[in-house]
Amino acid sequence: MDFTSKDVLHIKKNGVEYLSFKILKEFGVNNYITLRFGGVSSAEYNKSLNFRYTGLDTKENVLKNLDIIKKEANIKNDIYKAMQAHTDKILVINKDNMENYKFENFCNENYDGYVVNEKGIYTLVTTADCNPIILYDKKNNVYANIHSGWMGTIKKIYLNAFKIMQKKFGTNAEDLIVCVGPSINKCCFTSKEESFKKKFTDVFENEQEYLYYEEDKETFHIDMPYLIKRDFINLGANKKNIILSNICTKCNNKYFF
């Protein structure tokens, strides 16, 4: 499978595969969304490029996987990450605090997104069916790297990240590039629980725009990438600078976790 499109590059090197958003690369922003292949993870991960260290995999395998992707992507710097817990908490990482969040320290503080305004600081979020979101302020050279599952989307963690970028670094919505990577898309994000639907309709208006029922009138589908895009349009971001990968992780679970 080749996921290359007008917006996304699919790179394959020595058994390792990752995606990069073209628009970010045009601005010199290195970005990598890894596929399953080319790692050393065992057990349920089956020799995959897994970065989740709280499951059945070993921390030793995870660190080896990190070295593999750093080598293939030519990343010379350290990688930074805290513990993810489906929060709406955003961490600003800089030279003053970054040592605390080195990946190999397996930090147990809970953050689901990062804001960075200094060059050479790489952050990592892990996702399965959740939405990986990158925000980039092309004027002030500030980025946010965000993990937004359904809980994070309801909490609008991505808008929290923007507010921090705006307050601390002067980011304006019209200067944003917004990229949403592979996640569970509307084709597969389904439920029959009206109480679950209400979690979204309590937060997001005009449900006819992002929710539809199947013929059985019980099963409904929700389009989370659309909701994220709509929020940034309403914020004032330029539509042409909001990029959805349109890759469903459940449809393509041979390639993505």
Side-chain angles (χ1 to χ4, degrees), residues 1 37 93 106 150 169 236 244:
M1 173 72 78
F37 313 116
I93 293 187
F106 300 110
W150 69 262
F169 307 111
L244 307 182

Side-chain angles (χ1 to χ4, degrees), residues 92-227:
V92 178
I93 293 187
N94 53 42
K95 288 185 172 62
D96 293 330
N97 67 358
M98 63 185 189
E99 289 299 311
N100 300 326
Y101 302 100
K102 279 187 178 180
F103 188 98
E104 57 264 36
N105 293 338
F106 300 110
C107 173
N108 61 7
E109 295 179 31
N110 291 330
Y111 292 98
D112 283 83
Y114 311 97
V115 168
V116 178
N117 79 318
E118 299 176 14
K119 289 185 178 181
I121 298 180
Y122 288 79
T123 61
L124 184 149
V125 298
T126 52
T127 63
D129 289 329
C130 301
N131 298 279
I133 306 170
I134 302 172
L135 310 181
Y136 179 62
D137 174 355
K138 59 186 179 180
K139 182 178 179 181
N140 295 299
N141 197 31
V142 182
Y143 82 81
N145 190 15
I146 304 160
H147 159 251
S148 184
W150 69 262
M151 285 183 278
T153 300
I154 288 172
K155 295 171 184 175
K156 301 196 178 189
I157 182 175
Y158 45 89
L159 295 189
N160 284 359
F162 168 73
K163 290 174 185 175
I164 290 173
M165 294 169 72
Q166 186 180 50
K167 182 177 179 179
K168 289 186 173 293
F169 307 111
T171 297
N172 293 312
E174 58 265 30
D175 296 318
L176 279 180
I177 294 170
V178 180
C179 295
V180 183
S183 63
I184 191 167
N185 282 195
K186 64 181 179 181
C187 51
C188 296
F189 189 40
T190 66
S191 177
K192 293 184 178 181
E193 298 178 18
E194 289 294 310
S195 60
F196 183 67
K197 184 184 93 168
K198 192 172 185 297
K199 294 179 186 295
F200 284 86
T201 56
D202 282 350
V203 175
F204 298 99
E205 297 178 346
N206 302 322
E207 66 182 78
Q208 70 279 3
E209 293 183 9
Y210 63 86
L211 185 149
Y212 69 91
Y213 279 88
E214 293 184 7
E215 290 183 2
D216 63 10
K217 306 299 182 183
E218 294 182 359
T219 306
F220 58 86
H221 296 241
I222 295 175
D223 190 345
M224 282 195 294
Y226 171 81
L227 287 172

Side-chain angles (χ1 to χ4, degrees), residues 9 17 19 31 38 43 63 82 87 154 162 183 198 203 218 248:
L9 288 172
E17 301 186 29
L19 310 179
N31 65 104
L63 291 176
T87 69
I154 288 172
F162 168 73
S183 63
K198 192 172 185 297
V203 175
E218 294 182 359
C248 178

Side-chain angles (χ1 to χ4, degrees), residues 5-50:
S5 67
K6 66 180 180 65
D7 296 313
V8 174
L9 288 172
H10 185 171
I11 294 92
K12 304 178 184 182
K13 294 172 63 179
N14 299 319
V16 175
E17 301 186 29
Y18 57 86
L19 310 179
S20 285
F21 284 101
K22 294 178 181 179
I23 191 170
L24 292 175
K25 290 180 71 67
E26 289 171 5
F27 283 93
V29 181
N30 295 322
N31 65 104
Y32 313 93
I33 299 173
T34 56
L35 278 67
R36 283 179 174 263
F37 313 116
V40 300
S41 292
S42 56
E44 64 180 355
Y45 301 103
N46 193 25
K47 294 185 178 180
S48 67
L49 195 66
N50 167 59

